[in-house]
Amino acid sequence: MTGTDNILRLNFVRILIVLAIAFGYASTMPRGPEASEYLKHFGYEPSWIGIQLLFFFSGFLALASLQRHKSAFKYLFSKVLRNGPLLAFFTLISVGVIYPIFGKSSGNLMADMVKLSRYAIETITCVNPGQRLPGLLDDSKYMCLIQGAIWTFRWGLLVHIGAAIGWKVGLLSRKKYIASYAILSTVGYGLIQYIYIIGNFESLYLPMMTLRLSYPFLIGMAVYAYRDQIPKSLPIKSGLLLSLGLIAAINATFLAWTPLIEISLTAFWGYAAYLLAFSKGYLFKWTENVPHLALGFYLAAWPSAQVLLLLNPSLTPPSLIMLSIPLALSFAMMACVAVHGPTTNPFRRKLGGKITVKPARL
């Protein structure tokens, strides 16, 4: 891709990814965290794959943003401006509306205020997002988690800070550097996960989780850096996509478990999402320039499902899915209007619009 590239369908693709995450979460909430998600395939759940795909696109856009701003500070500031207000909005709704209605007070007003203030501060600053809030949802299958999905925000903050530091000290100054980080992190994740699971080394959990979310982020950066070299021929793209899927399927079906299943499966869905985001033509014309609702949808999905379960604990997973997903999308639209003002009403104009990515100069 040369010249200026407009990723016309990126917002649409990210909404689809969040839809998969919300679908997976809602399918287990009535049954508890030990239940398997619907549409689990080759041993992996759609929510995990979706989260990794969000980090992949986040890495892609991170390098684009760093190159555009030419400043680590401006890059981080733009991320705070984009994510912070919506995160604060949904957190304040949780402590200021949902908790007073459904929560159980300790009987000590001051203690409750301290508890809620601490929860809000630690969530908004990403010090401890997605934590339990005692007194709320104590009897639910997912105990106390009203914003459970946002545990990824802390990891997102860390990878963005790492990207800013890397840019500042010149670690992202060459395409080959970025490619080497992506390869090393992917191989490192595979090795550490294999040792962690096969050898039962609990001490490797933190580095494994760090790499599990950072390797797709770094791959996204590498894809941005080398996007001009990505094959454009339909047969080659189709063959590559098929190969990634076959690697995961053969490994999962006929061979012993290895981390290659997850890595190739994530690569398959990541490449498919990338192709859709950059696709051209009139078949999916209606997906161009959809509102930027993925973040609000992600933030609203978990609370919407939990509140519906509070109102009707007998809801089955299919019922919860059908009710919670439209509700979360509606809340996402209202939150965008409330946070960014009436001029951003998604029914009046497109939120986000075209996402412009300029050529690499690495």
Side-chain angles (χ1 to χ4, degrees), residues 91-92 94-96 99-100 109-123 131 133-134 136:
T91 300
L92 294 177
S94 298
V95 300
Y99 183 87
L109 179 60
M110 183 58 67
D112 285 343
M113 291 296 294
V114 170
K115 176 181 67 177
L116 295 175
S117 298
R118 179 179 177 180
Y119 173 88
I121 292 171
E122 291 183 351
T123 300
Q131 63 181 293
L133 182 55
L136 182 61

PDB file of all heavy atoms in Angstrom, residues 91-92 94-96 99-100 109-123 131 133-134 136:
ATOM      1  N   THR A  91     -17.090   4.018  34.771  1.00  0.00           N
ATOM      2  CA  THR A  91     -16.726   3.738  36.163  1.00  0.00           C
ATOM      3  C   THR A  91     -17.610   4.528  37.117  1.00  0.00           C
ATOM      4  O   THR A  91     -18.090   3.994  38.129  1.00  0.00           O
ATOM      5  CB  THR A  91     -15.250   4.083  36.405  1.00  0.00           C
ATOM      6  OG1 THR A  91     -14.427   3.298  35.533  1.00  0.00           O
ATOM      7  CG2 THR A  91     -14.858   3.791  37.853  1.00  0.00           C
ATOM      8  N   LEU A  92     -17.843   5.791  36.807  1.00  0.00           N
ATOM      9  CA  LEU A  92     -18.699   6.618  37.658  1.00  0.00           C
ATOM     10  C   LEU A  92     -20.148   6.141  37.625  1.00  0.00           C
ATOM     11  O   LEU A  92     -20.858   6.230  38.636  1.00  0.00           O
ATOM     12  CB  LEU A  92     -18.603   8.083  37.228  1.00  0.00           C
ATOM     13  CG  LEU A  92     -17.224   8.730  37.442  1.00  0.00           C
ATOM     14  CD1 LEU A  92     -17.211  10.159  36.905  1.00  0.00           C
ATOM     15  CD2 LEU A  92     -16.842   8.709  38.921  1.00  0.00           C
ATOM     16  N   SER A  94     -20.923   3.025  37.376  1.00  0.00           N
ATOM     17  CA  SER A  94     -20.897   1.825  38.210  1.00  0.00           C
ATOM     18  C   SER A  94     -20.988   2.158  39.694  1.00  0.00           C
ATOM     19  O   SER A  94     -21.742   1.532  40.441  1.00  0.00           O
ATOM     20  CB  SER A  94     -19.625   1.013  37.929  1.00  0.00           C
ATOM     21  OG  SER A  94     -19.593   0.568  36.583  1.00  0.00           O
ATOM     22  N   VAL A  95     -20.208   3.162  40.128  1.00  0.00           N
ATOM     23  CA  VAL A  95     -20.177   3.486  41.557  1.00  0.00           C
ATOM     24  C   VAL A  95     -21.300   4.446  41.951  1.00  0.00           C
ATOM     25  O   VAL A  95     -21.718   4.463  43.109  1.00  0.00           O
ATOM     26  CB  VAL A  95     -18.810   4.075  41.964  1.00  0.00           C
ATOM     27  CG1 VAL A  95     -17.697   3.089  41.686  1.00  0.00           C
ATOM     28  CG2 VAL A  95     -18.537   5.401  41.263  1.00  0.00           C
ATOM     29  N   GLY A  96     -21.779   5.264  41.006  1.00  0.00           N
ATOM     30  CA  GLY A  96     -22.767   6.272  41.347  1.00  0.00           C
ATOM     31  C   GLY A  96     -24.200   5.891  41.048  1.00  0.00           C
ATOM     32  O   GLY A  96     -25.131   6.492  41.598  1.00  0.00           O
ATOM     33  N   TYR A  99     -24.154   0.741  41.861  1.00  0.00           N
ATOM     34  CA  TYR A  99     -23.920   0.338  43.257  1.00  0.00           C
ATOM     35  C   TYR A  99     -25.031   0.816  44.198  1.00  0.00           C
ATOM     36  O   TYR A  99     -25.528   0.023  45.010  1.00  0.00           O
ATOM     37  CB  TYR A  99     -22.560   0.835  43.742  1.00  0.00           C
ATOM     38  CG  TYR A  99     -22.239   0.384  45.155  1.00  0.00           C
ATOM     39  CD1 TYR A  99     -21.628  -0.845  45.384  1.00  0.00           C
ATOM     40  CD2 TYR A  99     -22.563   1.175  46.248  1.00  0.00           C
ATOM     41  CE1 TYR A  99     -21.349  -1.279  46.663  1.00  0.00           C
ATOM     42  CE2 TYR A  99     -22.291   0.760  47.540  1.00  0.00           C
ATOM     43  CZ  TYR A  99     -21.677  -0.473  47.747  1.00  0.00           C
ATOM     44  OH  TYR A  99     -21.416  -0.905  49.024  1.00  0.00           O
ATOM     45  N   PRO A 100     -25.433   2.095  44.147  1.00  0.00           N
ATOM     46  CA  PRO A 100     -26.516   2.511  45.046  1.00  0.00           C
ATOM     47  C   PRO A 100     -27.820   1.734  44.838  1.00  0.00           C
ATOM     48  O   PRO A 100     -28.581   1.532  45.792  1.00  0.00           O
ATOM     49  CB  PRO A 100     -26.699   3.996  44.694  1.00  0.00           C
ATOM     50  CG  PRO A 100     -25.382   4.424  44.166  1.00  0.00           C
ATOM     51  CD  PRO A 100     -24.864   3.236  43.413  1.00  0.00           C
ATOM     52  N   LEU A 109     -21.496   5.066  56.186  1.00  0.00           N
ATOM     53  CA  LEU A 109     -21.462   5.905  54.998  1.00  0.00           C
ATOM     54  C   LEU A 109     -20.041   6.293  54.621  1.00  0.00           C
ATOM     55  O   LEU A 109     -19.666   6.255  53.440  1.00  0.00           O
ATOM     56  CB  LEU A 109     -22.304   7.160  55.221  1.00  0.00           C
ATOM     57  CG  LEU A 109     -22.343   8.152  54.046  1.00  0.00           C
ATOM     58  CD1 LEU A 109     -22.921   7.481  52.806  1.00  0.00           C
ATOM     59  CD2 LEU A 109     -23.139   9.389  54.426  1.00  0.00           C
ATOM     60  N   MET A 110     -19.236   6.649  55.627  1.00  0.00           N
ATOM     61  CA  MET A 110     -17.864   7.067  55.347  1.00  0.00           C
ATOM     62  C   MET A 110     -17.047   5.911  54.771  1.00  0.00           C
ATOM     63  O   MET A 110     -16.288   6.087  53.813  1.00  0.00           O
ATOM     64  CB  MET A 110     -17.201   7.590  56.620  1.00  0.00           C
ATOM     65  CG  MET A 110     -15.779   8.120  56.409  1.00  0.00           C
ATOM     66  SD  MET A 110     -15.704   9.453  55.178  1.00  0.00           S
ATOM     67  CE  MET A 110     -16.617  10.735  56.058  1.00  0.00           C
ATOM     68  N   ALA A 111     -17.235   4.726  55.328  1.00  0.00           N
ATOM     69  CA  ALA A 111     -16.501   3.561  54.826  1.00  0.00           C
ATOM     70  C   ALA A 111     -16.908   3.243  53.387  1.00  0.00           C
ATOM     71  O   ALA A 111     -16.058   2.899  52.553  1.00  0.00           O
ATOM     72  CB  ALA A 111     -16.745   2.358  55.723  1.00  0.00           C
ATOM     73  N   ASP A 112     -18.193   3.371  53.101  1.00  0.00           N
ATOM     74  CA  ASP A 112     -18.657   3.130  51.734  1.00  0.00           C
ATOM     75  C   ASP A 112     -18.094   4.164  50.768  1.00  0.00           C
ATOM     76  O   ASP A 112     -17.701   3.831  49.638  1.00  0.00           O
ATOM     77  CB  ASP A 112     -20.184   3.161  51.676  1.00  0.00           C
ATOM     78  CG  ASP A 112     -20.815   1.910  52.269  1.00  0.00           C
ATOM     79  OD1 ASP A 112     -20.095   0.907  52.426  1.00  0.00           O
ATOM     80  OD2 ASP A 112     -22.020   1.950  52.576  1.00  0.00           O
ATOM     81  N   MET A 113     -18.047   5.408  51.186  1.00  0.00           N
ATOM     82  CA  MET A 113     -17.507   6.454  50.328  1.00  0.00           C
ATOM     83  C   MET A 113     -16.032   6.215  50.029  1.00  0.00           C
ATOM     84  O   MET A 113     -15.575   6.404  48.898  1.00  0.00           O
ATOM     85  CB  MET A 113     -17.696   7.823  50.988  1.00  0.00           C
ATOM     86  CG  MET A 113     -19.143   8.279  51.070  1.00  0.00           C
ATOM     87  SD  MET A 113     -19.886   8.547  49.430  1.00  0.00           S
ATOM     88  CE  MET A 113     -18.920   9.929  48.860  1.00  0.00           C
ATOM     89  N   VAL A 114     -15.299   5.809  51.053  1.00  0.00           N
ATOM     90  CA  VAL A 114     -13.868   5.521  50.858  1.00  0.00           C
ATOM     91  C   VAL A 114     -13.708   4.338  49.900  1.00  0.00           C
ATOM     92  O   VAL A 114     -12.862   4.361  48.989  1.00  0.00           O
ATOM     93  CB  VAL A 114     -13.190   5.228  52.207  1.00  0.00           C
ATOM     94  CG1 VAL A 114     -11.767   4.683  51.994  1.00  0.00           C
ATOM     95  CG2 VAL A 114     -13.151   6.488  53.063  1.00  0.00           C
ATOM     96  N   LYS A 115     -14.518   3.309  50.100  1.00  0.00           N
ATOM     97  CA  LYS A 115     -14.439   2.111  49.242  1.00  0.00           C
ATOM     98  C   LYS A 115     -14.734   2.455  47.797  1.00  0.00           C
ATOM     99  O   LYS A 115     -13.992   2.045  46.885  1.00  0.00           O
ATOM    100  CB  LYS A 115     -15.420   1.060  49.751  1.00  0.00           C
ATOM    101  CG  LYS A 115     -15.502  -0.192  48.881  1.00  0.00           C
ATOM    102  CD  LYS A 115     -16.524  -1.178  49.439  1.00  0.00           C
ATOM    103  CE  LYS A 115     -17.942  -0.652  49.359  1.00  0.00           C
ATOM    104  NZ  LYS A 115     -18.937  -1.643  49.824  1.00  0.00           N
ATOM    105  N   LEU A 116     -15.805   3.201  47.568  1.00  0.00           N
ATOM    106  CA  LEU A 116     -16.189   3.551  46.209  1.00  0.00           C
ATOM    107  C   LEU A 116     -15.193   4.503  45.558  1.00  0.00           C
ATOM    108  O   LEU A 116     -14.885   4.381  44.364  1.00  0.00           O
ATOM    109  CB  LEU A 116     -17.587   4.162  46.201  1.00  0.00           C
ATOM    110  CG  LEU A 116     -18.722   3.228  46.618  1.00  0.00           C
ATOM    111  CD1 LEU A 116     -20.042   3.984  46.695  1.00  0.00           C
ATOM    112  CD2 LEU A 116     -18.849   2.064  45.643  1.00  0.00           C
ATOM    113  N   SER A 117     -14.671   5.446  46.354  1.00  0.00           N
ATOM    114  CA  SER A 117     -13.681   6.391  45.813  1.00  0.00           C
ATOM    115  C   SER A 117     -12.394   5.667  45.431  1.00  0.00           C
ATOM    116  O   SER A 117     -11.814   5.935  44.364  1.00  0.00           O
ATOM    117  CB  SER A 117     -13.379   7.480  46.843  1.00  0.00           C
ATOM    118  OG  SER A 117     -14.539   8.224  47.145  1.00  0.00           O
ATOM    119  N   ARG A 118     -11.985   4.746  46.270  1.00  0.00           N
ATOM    120  CA  ARG A 118     -10.772   3.985  45.966  1.00  0.00           C
ATOM    121  C   ARG A 118     -10.968   3.149  44.712  1.00  0.00           C
ATOM    122  O   ARG A 118     -10.083   3.093  43.849  1.00  0.00           O
ATOM    123  CB  ARG A 118     -10.416   3.094  47.151  1.00  0.00           C
ATOM    124  CG  ARG A 118      -9.179   2.237  46.911  1.00  0.00           C
ATOM    125  CD  ARG A 118      -8.857   1.382  48.119  1.00  0.00           C
ATOM    126  NE  ARG A 118      -7.725   0.512  47.853  1.00  0.00           N
ATOM    127  CZ  ARG A 118      -7.227  -0.348  48.736  1.00  0.00           C
ATOM    128  NH1 ARG A 118      -7.772  -0.445  49.952  1.00  0.00           N
ATOM    129  NH2 ARG A 118      -6.191  -1.096  48.423  1.00  0.00           N
ATOM    130  N   TYR A 119     -12.131   2.506  44.606  1.00  0.00           N
ATOM    131  CA  TYR A 119     -12.426   1.707  43.417  1.00  0.00           C
ATOM    132  C   TYR A 119     -12.382   2.573  42.166  1.00  0.00           C
ATOM    133  O   TYR A 119     -11.781   2.197  41.150  1.00  0.00           O
ATOM    134  CB  TYR A 119     -13.804   1.060  43.563  1.00  0.00           C
ATOM    135  CG  TYR A 119     -14.275   0.345  42.311  1.00  0.00           C
ATOM    136  CD1 TYR A 119     -13.952  -0.989  42.087  1.00  0.00           C
ATOM    137  CD2 TYR A 119     -15.047   1.013  41.349  1.00  0.00           C
ATOM    138  CE1 TYR A 119     -14.386  -1.651  40.941  1.00  0.00           C
ATOM    139  CE2 TYR A 119     -15.474   0.364  40.205  1.00  0.00           C
ATOM    140  CZ  TYR A 119     -15.147  -0.961  40.000  1.00  0.00           C
ATOM    141  OH  TYR A 119     -15.558  -1.599  38.860  1.00  0.00           O
ATOM    142  N   ALA A 120     -13.016   3.744  42.219  1.00  0.00           N
ATOM    143  CA  ALA A 120     -13.075   4.623  41.055  1.00  0.00           C
ATOM    144  C   ALA A 120     -11.680   5.090  40.644  1.00  0.00           C
ATOM    145  O   ALA A 120     -11.319   5.054  39.463  1.00  0.00           O
ATOM    146  CB  ALA A 120     -13.971   5.826  41.344  1.00  0.00           C
ATOM    147  N   ILE A 121     -10.883   5.506  41.623  1.00  0.00           N
ATOM    148  CA  ILE A 121      -9.544   6.018  41.320  1.00  0.00           C
ATOM    149  C   ILE A 121      -8.657   4.918  40.745  1.00  0.00           C
ATOM    150  O   ILE A 121      -7.960   5.118  39.741  1.00  0.00           O
ATOM    151  CB  ILE A 121      -8.909   6.623  42.589  1.00  0.00           C
ATOM    152  CG1 ILE A 121      -9.655   7.892  43.006  1.00  0.00           C
ATOM    153  CG2 ILE A 121      -7.429   6.935  42.355  1.00  0.00           C
ATOM    154  CD1 ILE A 121      -9.247   8.435  44.349  1.00  0.00           C
ATOM    155  N   GLU A 122      -8.682   3.746  41.371  1.00  0.00           N
ATOM    156  CA  GLU A 122      -7.825   2.659  40.909  1.00  0.00           C
ATOM    157  C   GLU A 122      -8.260   2.124  39.546  1.00  0.00           C
ATOM    158  O   GLU A 122      -7.443   1.616  38.783  1.00  0.00           O
ATOM    159  CB  GLU A 122      -7.817   1.527  41.937  1.00  0.00           C
ATOM    160  CG  GLU A 122      -7.102   1.888  43.222  1.00  0.00           C
ATOM    161  CD  GLU A 122      -7.031   0.728  44.204  1.00  0.00           C
ATOM    162  OE1 GLU A 122      -7.691  -0.309  43.958  1.00  0.00           O
ATOM    163  OE2 GLU A 122      -6.326   0.866  45.224  1.00  0.00           O
ATOM    164  N   THR A 123      -9.547   2.248  39.238  1.00  0.00           N
ATOM    165  CA  THR A 123     -10.039   1.800  37.939  1.00  0.00           C
ATOM    166  C   THR A 123      -9.717   2.805  36.849  1.00  0.00           C
ATOM    167  O   THR A 123      -9.192   2.451  35.785  1.00  0.00           O
ATOM    168  CB  THR A 123     -11.554   1.554  37.993  1.00  0.00           C
ATOM    169  OG1 THR A 123     -11.841   0.537  38.967  1.00  0.00           O
ATOM    170  CG2 THR A 123     -12.073   1.099  36.639  1.00  0.00           C
ATOM    171  N   GLN A 131     -11.473  -4.810  39.091  1.00  0.00           N
ATOM    172  CA  GLN A 131     -11.396  -5.451  40.406  1.00  0.00           C
ATOM    173  C   GLN A 131     -12.788  -5.704  40.982  1.00  0.00           C
ATOM    174  O   GLN A 131     -13.794  -5.205  40.493  1.00  0.00           O
ATOM    175  CB  GLN A 131     -10.614  -4.561  41.365  1.00  0.00           C
ATOM    176  CG  GLN A 131     -11.276  -3.216  41.624  1.00  0.00           C
ATOM    177  CD  GLN A 131     -10.486  -2.337  42.563  1.00  0.00           C
ATOM    178  OE1 GLN A 131     -10.350  -2.649  43.746  1.00  0.00           O
ATOM    179  NE2 GLN A 131      -9.935  -1.238  42.035  1.00  0.00           N
ATOM    180  N   LEU A 133     -15.792  -5.336  43.636  1.00  0.00           N
ATOM    181  CA  LEU A 133     -16.349  -4.251  44.437  1.00  0.00           C
ATOM    182  C   LEU A 133     -17.232  -4.873  45.514  1.00  0.00           C
ATOM    183  O   LEU A 133     -18.385  -5.221  45.250  1.00  0.00           O
ATOM    184  CB  LEU A 133     -17.157  -3.298  43.556  1.00  0.00           C
ATOM    185  CG  LEU A 133     -17.767  -2.068  44.222  1.00  0.00           C
ATOM    186  CD1 LEU A 133     -16.698  -1.256  44.934  1.00  0.00           C
ATOM    187  CD2 LEU A 133     -18.476  -1.211  43.184  1.00  0.00           C
ATOM    188  N   PRO A 134     -16.704  -5.056  46.726  1.00  0.00           N
ATOM    189  CA  PRO A 134     -17.469  -5.716  47.788  1.00  0.00           C
ATOM    190  C   PRO A 134     -18.808  -5.031  48.032  1.00  0.00           C
ATOM    191  O   PRO A 134     -18.905  -3.815  48.069  1.00  0.00           O
ATOM    192  CB  PRO A 134     -16.548  -5.569  49.009  1.00  0.00           C
ATOM    193  CG  PRO A 134     -15.177  -5.466  48.434  1.00  0.00           C
ATOM    194  CD  PRO A 134     -15.348  -4.692  47.153  1.00  0.00           C
ATOM    195  N   LEU A 136     -21.369  -5.549  45.984  1.00  0.00           N
ATOM    196  CA  LEU A 136     -22.082  -5.548  44.718  1.00  0.00           C
ATOM    197  C   LEU A 136     -21.844  -6.876  44.000  1.00  0.00           C
ATOM    198  O   LEU A 136     -20.698  -7.288  43.813  1.00  0.00           O
ATOM    199  CB  LEU A 136     -21.611  -4.392  43.837  1.00  0.00           C
ATOM    200  CG  LEU A 136     -22.300  -4.231  42.478  1.00  0.00           C
ATOM    201  CD1 LEU A 136     -23.791  -3.975  42.652  1.00  0.00           C
ATOM    202  CD2 LEU A 136     -21.660  -3.097  41.689  1.00  0.00           C
TER     203      LEU A 136
END
